[in-house]
Amino acid sequence: MNVEATGLAQTAFTGRKKLSFKSVLREAGIGLALVALVIIFSVTTEHFLTANNITNILTQVTINLVLAVGMTFVILIGGIDLSVGSLLALCAVVAGKAISLDVGVPMAISLAVLAAVLAGTVCGLLNGAISAFWALPSFIITLGMLNVARGAALHISDARTIYSFPSEFNAFGSMTLYGIPVVFLVALMLALLAWFVLTRTVFGRLLYGLGNSEEAVRLAGHSVFWCKVAAFTICGFTAGIAAIIYMARLNISSPIAGVGFELNAIAAVIIGGTSLSGGRGSVLGTLLGAFIIGVLANGLILLGLSDFMRQMITGVVIIVAVILDHYRAKYTRN
């Protein structure tokens, strides 16, 4: 590797450390925005800070947080995954079929979890492999997978919702620990694991490097192909986990589940400060972004706004977040 190439690689892989102070400021700003929302809704609504409503917020945030954690890996490398909502539906249907097998309750639940995770992981792997091998935009590939997964979910289920899950499985969706939903704790542990991978492993540094410069990763002797495949595979894996949580919460497995979930996940990641161009962002920011979306949705419902108004306001927040990302990118280049 020549001197110029070495410098390029070092810039890509150490960029995250150089921006650590700016990253802290960014996440602090997102945290302050979340605190401001909490204060506003606490003052303007009567039941926002009640124990029941806080539990509701944690439960409502869970699925989006799980999907957003996986989406963070993809967006960090400069990609996008539009298929996660449809993958959730496919994974839920596959798991619903598995849990209906007459093999005993413990075995059926184990098979359902395994089937959901495996289905999501395989689809994510295909997204990454096709996009990376032919150097195609992930936007197009995952848009195609969105339709493939949705069609497969409808075909496997005969376009019918699957009901009647074991009570042991349903109990998981409503279980709490010291007032905190267990499903949220699962999502939080997944976020902590993702944080560790991105901040404490070579693989995590490679993903940041890939988002800054593919050429730097290649010159450093690492496989760009397998890094991309791994990022999309993780995103598919989290879609499988989200499907199980969805089933446990609602006690159904629907082929039309997850419509629009991919947009909420992307919004959480972008609001959380991860750059759409890749190379900058964190799981902590994604966690805060998911909470901003969840708190905003909950507070607007308590204010009595219509579904149309809530969609409009959420859309405005996303647009503002993208504009801020544009200026963040200019700031970090200076």
Side-chain angles (χ1 to χ4, degrees):
M1 189 186 298
N2 59 35
V3 175
E4 182 180 357
T6 301
L8 180 61
Q10 288 177 343
T11 299
F13 292 124
T14 61
R16 188 179 181 279
K17 292 183 179 179
K18 292 180 179 179
L19 295 176
S20 58
F21 179 68
K22 294 178 182 179
S23 299
V24 170
L25 289 178
R26 178 188 63 230
E27 288 159 1
I30 299 166
L32 288 175
L34 177 59
V35 170
L37 278 178
V38 170
I39 293 173
I40 290 170
F41 289 130
S42 299
V43 172
T44 56
T45 64
E46 182 179 354
H47 303 290
F48 182 79
L49 280 184
T50 60
N52 285 338
N53 192 56
I54 292 174
T55 300
N56 287 337
I57 292 173
L58 294 178
T59 303
Q60 292 162 4
V61 161
T62 298
I63 291 178
N64 192 33
L65 175 57
V66 172
L67 292 175
V69 165
M71 190 69 70
T72 302
F73 283 79
V74 172
I75 294 181
L76 274 176
I77 66 172
I80 203 81
D81 191 340
L82 298 179
S83 67
V84 292
S86 294
L87 288 186
L88 183 148
L90 175 59
C91 294
V93 166
V94 170
K97 289 290 186 179
I99 209 171
S100 301
L101 296 175
D102 188 17
V103 293
V105 172
M107 179 61 72
I109 293 176
S110 299
L111 286 175
V113 173
L114 180 61
V117 170
L118 185 60
T121 302
V122 170
C123 290
L125 188 150
L126 289 174
N127 279 336
I130 295 171
S131 176
F133 185 80
W134 280 285
L136 298 172
S138 57
F139 177 91
I140 301 299
I141 301 304
T142 58
L143 181 61
M145 181 61 77
L146 178 154
N147 289 286
V148 170
R150 184 69 66 185
L154 290 166
H155 175 72
I156 294 171
S157 65
D158 292 325
R160 297 177 181 176
T161 299
I162 302 172
Y163 301 92
S164 303
F165 299 150
S167 57
E168 294 88 344
F169 182 76
N170 294 339
F172 170 70
S174 57
M175 193 182 301
T176 60
L177 183 65
Y178 299 108
I180 302 175
V182 171
V183 290
F184 174 75
L185 293 176
V186 171
L188 190 60
M189 286 189 290
L190 188 66
L192 286 172
L193 177 60
W195 170 84
F196 178 83
V197 170
L198 289 175
T199 61
R200 298 294 184 269
T201 68
V202 174
F203 172 66
R205 291 188 65 193
L206 285 175
L207 294 185
Y208 281 100
L210 195 59
N212 285 310
S213 171
E214 287 190 17
E215 186 64 18
V217 174
R218 187 176 293 107
L219 290 173
H222 299 284
S223 172
V224 171
F225 174 83
W226 286 113
C227 286
K228 287 185 175 182
V229 170
F232 280 94
T233 301
I234 290 170
C235 194
F237 170 81
T238 58
I241 298 295
I244 293 297
I245 294 174
Y246 171 89
M247 292 169 61
R249 275 191 55 204
L250 301 182
N251 303 330
I252 62 171
S253 178
S254 171
I256 60 172
V259 175
F261 282 21
E262 62 279 349
L263 301 181
N264 288 333
I266 293 169
V269 177
I270 301 306
I271 290 172
T274 300
S275 174
L276 276 170
S277 58
R280 294 184 302 277
S282 70
V283 174
L284 175 58
T286 295
L287 174 67
L288 295 173
F291 265 103
I292 285 177
I293 291 178
V295 167
L296 182 64
N298 181 270
L300 294 177
I301 290 174
L302 292 179
L303 286 174
L305 297 184
S306 68
D307 183 57
F308 306 117
M309 286 298 297
R310 295 200 303 272
Q311 287 186 33
M312 290 171 61
I313 293 173
T314 303
V316 169
V317 170
I318 294 171
I319 292 172
V320 170
V322 174
I323 294 172
L324 290 176
D325 174 64
H326 168 75
Y327 285 104
R328 274 198 301 263
K330 292 179 64 176
Y331 170 65
T332 53
R333 283 195 297 265
N334 294 332

